[in-house]
Amino acid sequence: MSILVRGAAREDVSALVRLRLANAERHVQLNPAVYRVPGVEAVRGHFEEVLSTGSKTLILVAEVAGEVVGMVEVVPLADPPDHQILAPRRAAEVHTVVLDGIAARVSGRPC
């Protein structure tokens, strides 16, 4: 089975929401003092905005057999303000999510 990686589109919003919430739930299991599960509508609104505007955020999705099973979101960080001593440089936060069990589905072997 092959993996297709492509830019996210508006029709991927529901899948992106599912991925973000699954990731949040897993993180809350690891450390509920640090992580939370955001509201569905807040997550949906974020992805709708990013995919409908000229946002600098890049979202790629991974598909297996036509199903979106993973994503990467690259969020550029702003340059430091002029009053700071840090030199401007390109940097970003990178968020990745892959649904549980995908490696086994792609390779045909248990993880």
Side-chain angles (χ1 to χ4, degrees), residues 19-47:
L19 288 164
R20 173 67 48 85
L21 295 177
N23 190 40
E25 289 168 3
R26 178 56 62 104
H27 278 77
V28 167
Q29 291 172 356
L30 295 171
N31 191 340
V34 173
Y35 300 105
R36 65 187 176 101
V37 177
V40 173
E41 290 310 312
V43 175
R44 180 175 304 285
H46 165 73
F47 287 121

Side-chain angles (χ1 to χ4, degrees), residues 14 39 45 48 55 76 102 109:
S14 292
E48 287 175 348
S55 173
I102 296 307
R109 295 177 291 189

Side-chain angles (χ1 to χ4, degrees), residues 10 13 16 41-53:
R10 294 226 354 112
V13 168
L16 294 169
E41 290 310 312
V43 175
R44 180 175 304 285
H46 165 73
F47 287 121
E48 287 175 348
E49 180 180 342
V50 167
L51 294 174
S52 66
T53 65

Side-chain angles (χ1 to χ4, degrees), residues 52-103:
S52 66
T53 65
S55 173
K56 292 182 180 183
T57 298
L58 169 68
I59 301 176
L60 301 174
V61 295
E63 283 186 8
V64 173
E67 177 188 2
V68 174
V69 296
M71 65 167 273
V72 61
E73 182 179 21
V74 181
V75 182
L77 298 176
D79 285 340
D82 290 338
H83 64 83
Q84 288 189 354
I85 63 173
L86 291 172
R89 61 187 162 136
R90 295 181 80 172
E93 292 180 351
V94 179
H95 308 274
T96 59
V97 183
V98 177
L99 290 179
D100 284 341
I102 296 307

